[in-house]
Amino acid sequence: MKKIINKPENYTDDMLHGIYQAHPDMVKYVEDDLRCYCTAQKKEGKVAIITGGGTGHLPLFLGYVGENMLDGCGVGSVFQSPSAEQIYNISKEVESGAGILFLYGNYTGDIMNFDMASEMLEMDDIQTRSIVGADDVLSNKNPDARRGVAGIFFMYKCAGAKAAQMGTLDEVLAAAQKAKDNTRTVGFALTPCIIPELGHSNFTLGDNEMAFGMGIHGEPGVWNGPVKTSRELAEESMKEILGDMSVASGEEVCVLINGLGATSQEELYILTGDVEDILKEKGIKVYRTFVGEYATSMEMAGASISICKVADEEMKQWIDMPVHTPFYTQV
């Protein structure tokens, strides 16, 4: 294992220490717990949005805490959930009178701990709502059981914008739901990644082998086989996405091409061109394109493709709203 680290068991806390050192004007921690990550610029009267999840996916999850996006993030160890106590402590810090939306990925440990935190907050008469990202088309035929991956970015954008517009808690939840209903993702891996505490790969692939549908924690995909071309991957991914979500000719979508940690920008733009050519052939208009690392898996090589159907003009306003965080800025 070759990584720029100190002790493997300190990986998450050392990383957080560096973030707080670099961005003290934007983020802070509470209760003397580095993993209780939240904005340093609380806005009174605004719905607070809190996410959470394991380390290893930057900029997901904590990277979207900032102006016009999220207000806090519970940080777990690599690929592990934050605790209910951490989520509760963050909530108490960022809540400003309008309630809290919990918005996170559809994983068992996260659901359990966010639900526990919600019960604790109810005893403090703090109102909460919850919604999970579940955009990974190939992870389950049942939409309610799907994993939340890079497409959760659009939920963050829409909910964050509505909260910044001083929407009510139910209105912010509805904005997140609109993005969720209109977003689908397919991903594929070319290499495994190494979890520092383990010191070895979390799965294996042959030299000329890839995994299609692989999850961001190394969950098995739908097939392992020879590496395909960018065009072939784009075609198979779009077949799965558009087969699951109806997008008619003339409708508009946003495209998110996400690198999993070790994929070059050049490769991501090759994939972008192929995806948008396919959409153009089908008469589907691209409203906005996002290319880069939005939800990684340590140093895994691979990518994911997310399509978010733009439902109406209000959704365009949410997607276009400027944001600024230590990890992501949109002007």
Side-chain angles (χ1 to χ4, degrees):
M1 179 177 70
K2 293 182 178 180
K3 291 184 181 292
I4 301 172
I5 61 174
N6 295 310
K7 294 180 179 180
E9 62 268 27
N10 294 342
Y11 183 84
T12 297
D13 290 334
D14 286 350
M15 175 269 295
L16 288 167
H17 173 68
I19 294 172
Y20 295 128
Q21 292 283 87
H23 305 287
D25 58 326
M26 299 180 70
V27 292
K28 65 178 185 179
Y29 58 95
V30 296
E31 297 296 327
D32 294 323
D33 187 344
L34 293 174
R35 302 189 183 199
C36 293
Y37 184 100
C38 63
T39 178
Q41 301 174 4
K42 179 176 173 178
K43 185 175 181 179
E44 290 299 325
K46 186 185 82 69
V47 171
I49 306 174
I50 298 173
T51 193
T55 301
H57 303 302
L58 281 176
L60 199 70
F61 296 88
L62 63 85
Y64 298 112
V65 172
E67 183 181 358
N68 295 338
M69 289 196 84
L70 311 181
D71 299 277
C73 177
V75 184
S77 296
V78 176
F79 296 176
Q80 296 181 25
S81 301
S83 71
E85 182 180 11
Q86 288 166 338
I87 297 163
Y88 172 79
N89 288 335
I90 295 164
S91 300
K92 292 287 286 185
E93 176 66 23
V94 302
E95 197 276 332
S96 61
I100 296 171
L101 177 65
F102 289 150
L103 170 48
Y104 55 96
N106 194 17
Y107 299 94
T108 303
D110 294 329
I111 293 171
M112 179 180 68
N113 290 336
F114 273 95
D115 284 351
M116 289 176 60
S118 180
E119 292 173 2
M120 295 163 67
L121 290 164
E122 285 179 8
M123 292 188 288
D124 294 333
D125 293 323
I126 295 176
Q127 194 174 28
T128 66
R129 298 284 188 274
S130 294
I131 187 170
V132 295
D135 52 304
D136 191 349
V137 171
L138 296 176
S139 61
N140 203 296
K141 292 182 179 180
N142 176 7
D144 293 332
R146 291 173 177 170
R147 299 182 292 248
V149 287
I152 200 173
F153 167 79
F154 291 110
M155 297 175 69
Y156 290 162
K157 279 291 285 141
C158 292
K162 189 63 180 180
Q165 294 170 343
M166 306 305 286
T168 66
L169 180 56
D170 286 336
E171 288 173 338
V172 174
L173 173 62
Q177 186 68 54
K178 185 180 288 188
K180 177 179 178 177
D181 292 343
N182 288 286
T183 301
R184 303 290 188 276
T185 300
V186 166
F188 35 87
L190 304 177
T191 68
C193 62
I194 297 173
I195 299 173
E197 291 92 337
L198 297 180
H200 58 76
S201 301
N202 57 345
F203 61 92
T204 58
L205 287 171
D207 289 342
N208 192 39
E209 186 182 32
M210 66 174 295
F212 191 81
M214 174 69 67
I216 58 173
H217 303 113
E219 299 96 335
V222 294
W223 59 255
N224 286 18
V227 176
K228 293 190 175 183
T229 66
S230 172
R231 178 70 189 204
E232 290 170 334
L233 291 169
E235 288 175 346
E236 187 166 352
S237 299
M238 297 309 296
K239 180 180 178 181
E240 296 288 351
I241 289 172
L242 298 179
D244 192 82
M245 177 179 66
S246 176
V247 184
S249 176
E251 290 190 304
E252 292 181 284
V253 300
C254 289
V255 175
L256 173 63
I257 305 298
N258 170 62
L260 292 178
T263 302
S264 71
Q265 288 283 327
E266 289 88 345
E267 293 167 74
L268 294 179
Y269 276 105
I270 291 170
L271 183 60
T272 300
D274 289 326
V275 168
E276 299 206 0
D277 283 347
I278 292 167
L279 291 171
K280 184 177 180 180
E281 291 164 8
K282 296 180 179 297
I284 298 171
K285 300 177 182 178
V286 176
Y287 177 69
R288 191 159 188 157
T289 303
F290 301 86
V291 182
E293 291 185 342
Y294 290 80
T296 63
S297 182
M298 299 294 290
E299 75 280 27
M300 184 185 289
S304 64
I305 300 167
S306 299
I307 300 295
C308 177
K309 183 164 61 174
V310 181
D312 51 36
E313 291 302 314
E314 185 177 35
M315 198 168 176
K316 288 182 181 180
Q317 294 175 9
W318 297 336
I319 291 169
D320 289 343
M321 180 173 282
V323 299
H324 183 51
T325 85
F327 290 82
Y328 179 70
T329 295
Q330 178 181 314
V331 295

